[in-house]
Amino acid sequence: MGMRSLSGLGTKTRWAALAVRVLVITLLAGAMAEPQLRRTAEDVAVTVVVDASESVPASMQSAVDRFVEEAIEQNKRREDRIGLVTAARGAFVQALPTQLNRSLERNHTGELDGTDLAAAARLALAVMPKDAANRLLLASDGNDTVGGLLEAAQAAKALGVPIDVIPLRYRYDSEVILDQLVAPPTARQGETLNVRVVLQATRPSSGRLSLLLNGEPIDLDPADDSSLAKAIELPAGQRTILIPVTAVVSGAQRFEAIFEPDIAGGRAIGDTVAENNKGMAVTFVSGEGKVLVLADSPEEAEPIMTALQRARINAQYMHGERMPQSLEDLNTYDAIVMLNQPAFSYSEIQQEYLRQYVHDTGGGLVMIGGPNAFGAGGWIGSPLEDALPIRLDPPQKRQMPRGALALVMHSIEMPEGVYYGKKTAEAAVNALSRLDLAGVIEYSWNGKTEWVHPLGPVGDGTAIKRSINSLQFGDMPDFAPSFQLALAGLKKAEAGQRHMIIISDGDPSMPPASLLDEFRQARITVSTVGVFPHSGGDLSRMEHIADYTGGRHYEVTTQAGLATLPKIFVKEAQTVRRSLIWEGPPFSPSVLGVASEAMRGIPSQVPGIGGYVVTAEREGLSLVTMKGKEGDPILAQWQHGLGKVVCFTSDASTRWARQWVSWPMFTTFWEQHIRWAMRPGGSANIRVVTDSQGDNTLVTVEALDAAGERLNFANFTGRLVQPGSEGIDVTLQQTGPGRYQAIVPTDKAGSYVLSLRYAAPDPSTADGILEGSVQAAIVRPFADEYRTLEDNSALLVQVAEMTGGRVLPLTTPLEQRTLWDRTNLDFPVATRSVWMWFAAIGIGMFLIDVGVRRVRIDPAAIARGTMALFRRGEATKTQSIDALKGAREQARERLAARGASPADLKAAAKQAERQAAAVAKTKFEASDDELKAAKGGIKVVGAESGGPPIIEKKTEEKKPEQKPGEGLGRLMQAKKKARDGMGED
């Protein structure tokens, strides 16, 4: 089509242009076709899934490792890949499929008391490489406690990935399992409970059965005075033993059954696994409402205990440090009253239990103040703080004297010194408010004693905790430098209370007596904590420092005592929190008169108080019913989760509330507030039944009204407290007349506490609503892993058949362990788009196409021009040399005619050469001298004749004077001449 436009080209050029044009069109057409390079994979990747749960014997897991490693050694194709995933309660990738893996290294960091093979299979499918054919190798006993492996196998089949299986076969021929311990979830006080113990045995065996109630053994064999346990014979199969137990007291009753097999020859007869020989159950026995009063002395609790007795509320006194250690035991009480309790009396887990007791189980909490309560007692930053209707840290607008605390850390020589050193320092900081001052001093390994964190406001604690984490804990040789630093910093601090805590083994040199005198004069107290001293003298020196400065001395010399260190530091940090206490002449708090059931009937004029702990109001649903000076809350209440909380910032003794103790309304005041906070009484017509379904439990509630009819349209809501974690919300749905159900997760071994509140329409009540609460416990004494007595190989064979895999027993010969078998595998095809290369080359060829058609290139002319250029350069060079020679000869002749000496002849020759060179260089151009001479009226002569240039000065010619009319006339003549010339053109 374009041949006509090429008619002006030569034959060769014309065919070249045609070829380039065809190539350009071909490349651009290829780019629009979007071509791709295609490559078929040739290697195979095998991802091994190993069951690491406790149901698989460790010897079998090691055998799987050897099985795979031997297969790797005999595989000839080094480009094949292998990876590893371990399965238990969770799944973890141990190694991605690569060519570098030549062995299997298992390190499963999750829990081993469960098996989720489906999660492991899905994870293996997720990490398999996309550029290779893939196989999965599953080594397991097939006991999938979670279930879902078949669904994961369906996904593998859809992806064309076969699953080979290694069945791990075993069977426990001699095993006894305490399958169930069944006790009613709820009961009434005095009722006889039928506790059922269900045992399973694989063959006839014998042993002894024990039953404990709240940790105390029950006599199951009165005829045998030597033991409280009962000797039993177990046939092969299942046996149920019924034990009647009378519910004597109310609250949570914990049952624990233990089976102990007979021993012969040092081995258990008929039993292999000991973990499945125990069972637990909890029954909540309802009775009269019960209140727990926590105080540090009976004298301090006496006014409240007397008021509760008068109000006929069942109350029990207990020292704060003996508070129940479990959530189930706390739920024995409907409310807890804390009188002037410091935070250091309770461990962090106990504080968390108190919060869960209120929020998750619906218990009531009444916190009454005193010098050791609220913020002054170290509760700032504690887990319980969030459950209180007041803020323990006063606002900045409330001008309170702040405290200053200096920490001197020297704990490296005790066991786990770094860990406990940081832990104790953080505990002390957490007990301070954001306005208090705190600083940390230590002796570092570089030989310097310095402020790791200078004394300053705590704020949110981030900065000082970062400094604590960077502590080096060097071995301090002398106490004096650290005491001097602390003294200088604390003396400058604007604080109402200044305190120093030092923790050490006591071996550094004692500070001089004069330095300790300065501490006394500045009223800075020093408390010492002696840990693992080298001698008794070290502790005595530290005790002297504390006594001399008015502080306290503590000693920790055992491994068990290390756990008390954080409590000690919290207690000492409270020393600087005394600034949160207001004490003064008694005044009468103002009653706000807000609508509150707990304040019903309480007069607006209440007795005076002489002190209280300063706090602040909390935003939200908190209700402040009584205020003190400057608007500080004295009495506040709210509902937190399922429970209720009341806070009274003054005390209930004669220290601050002497007038209140003798007040006629004292009993009424505290009875109403404690009853308001107490958990609502349970109904005898509510029955809770739990049914274990794998990792979940079905909760069923049968509800009747007061007339014994089915209770319909009730609203059941509550919380389930899981072992070792937060609670979860539970809502029951009505599934039948008076029947409500919910499924809750119970996949962990331990005790679960379920607390429910309900409300239903009831015309028989005064307000037309029937309300109440009910509790139940779900107990899993051991994981389902310990219930398996043999493997489930049938499931593994089904998975292999479904996905086209193979069954490879551990006894498979080495030559048949072809883990990377390529039979029936779909090798992926990798494609790579190359249209961009086509387009780029086509655009480049298009430029060449334009050049061939539009640019005329004559190679012969180019060659001739190049040669002429070189010849011209040679001619110029020759002409210059000839000119130099001629100039030199002429100069010699003139000088010789004048009688010049040889030296003058030589100098003249050189000058002539220079002038000739200048002339040759600028033959047609004026030199710099000529330009300058022209400006100054200088004329150069003699150059055209070949001789040396002679410069002559021009004389100015005097122009004749023009007459007035001559200039214009000359211009007119020039104009006429120009017109004539244009006309000729």
Side-chain angles (χ1 to χ4, degrees), residues 323-344:
M323 192 193 84
Q325 301 292 320
S326 68
L327 190 59
E328 293 88 347
D329 293 336
L330 283 178
N331 278 283
T332 302
Y333 306 96
D334 295 318
I336 297 176
V337 179
M338 303 180 70
L339 292 170
N340 191 27
Q341 288 298 286
F344 69 85

Side-chain angles (χ1 to χ4, degrees), residues 37-301:
L37 293 179
R38 185 178 185 274
R39 175 184 175 273
T40 302
E42 297 180 356
D43 50 341
V44 177
V46 174
T47 305
V48 182
V49 179
V50 178
D51 188 346
S53 63
E54 292 185 347
S55 65
V56 178
S59 59
M60 288 191 172
Q61 296 181 22
S62 300
V64 172
D65 296 343
R66 292 193 299 271
F67 182 94
V68 176
E69 289 174 1
E70 291 173 357
I72 295 174
E73 290 299 327
Q74 67 125 12
N75 184 34
K76 302 302 182 183
R77 297 179 62 92
R78 294 296 179 179
E79 65 272 13
D80 287 338
R81 316 174 198 180
I82 191 166
L84 176 63
V85 174
T86 54
R89 182 172 293 278
F92 293 88
V93 177
Q94 304 293 328
L96 292 173
T98 64
Q99 303 170 2
L100 302 178
N101 298 327
R102 311 308 300 172
S103 62
L104 299 182
E105 296 183 3
R106 292 180 291 103
N107 185 21
H108 192 90
T109 57
E111 298 177 355
L112 304 178
D113 58 349
T115 306
D116 192 351
L117 296 179
R122 288 191 294 267
L123 184 59
L125 292 174
V127 300
M128 66 182 186
K130 306 304 180 184
D131 58 345
N134 286 273
R135 305 186 75 98
L136 298 188
L137 177 62
L138 174 59
S140 173
D141 60 357
N143 290 312
D144 191 9
T145 60
V146 177
L149 178 59
L150 294 179
E151 288 79 359
Q154 289 285 2
K157 180 181 178 181
L159 294 173
V161 179
I163 300 179
D164 301 328
V165 296
I166 302 178
L168 304 180
R169 302 180 183 273
Y170 62 88
R171 177 181 174 81
Y172 295 124
D173 294 326
S174 300
E175 183 60 32
V176 177
I177 299 177
L178 203 158
D179 191 46
Q180 285 182 311
L181 177 61
V182 182
T186 58
R188 286 178 292 179
Q189 189 173 356
E191 180 181 352
T192 299
L193 311 177
N194 290 321
V195 179
R196 290 186 296 117
V197 182
V198 181
L199 295 164
Q200 284 187 349
T202 58
R203 69 176 186 177
S205 58
S206 61
R208 303 186 70 83
L209 178 66
S210 303
L211 182 65
L212 286 73
L213 174 61
N214 296 328
E216 297 294 330
I218 298 176
D219 191 357
L220 301 182
D221 191 1
D224 187 359
D225 296 334
S226 62
S227 175
L228 300 178
K230 180 179 181 179
I232 58 174
E233 297 289 335
L234 297 176
Q238 188 180 87
R239 181 183 176 185
T240 301
I241 301 174
L242 189 64
I243 304 174
V245 179
T246 302
V248 179
V249 296
S250 61
Q253 308 301 311
R254 305 181 65 182
F255 297 95
E256 183 176 3
I258 302 174
F259 173 77
E260 299 176 88
D262 291 336
I263 305 296
R267 299 182 61 183
I269 300 176
D271 191 35
T272 306
V273 181
E275 286 83 358
N276 55 18
N277 291 350
K278 64 181 179 180
M280 292 187 295
V282 177
T283 299
F284 287 95
V285 179
S286 60
E288 184 182 1
K290 195 173 182 180
V291 174
L292 175 63
V293 178
L294 300 174
D296 287 343
S297 66
E299 293 76 17
E300 191 172 23

Side-chain angles (χ1 to χ4, degrees), residues 410 413-414 475 505-508 531-539 541:
H410 178 223
E413 294 188 40
M414 69 179 183
D475 192 7
D505 57 5
D507 64 348
V531 289
F532 292 89
H534 299 283
S535 65
D538 295 338
L539 290 180
R541 292 200 301 269

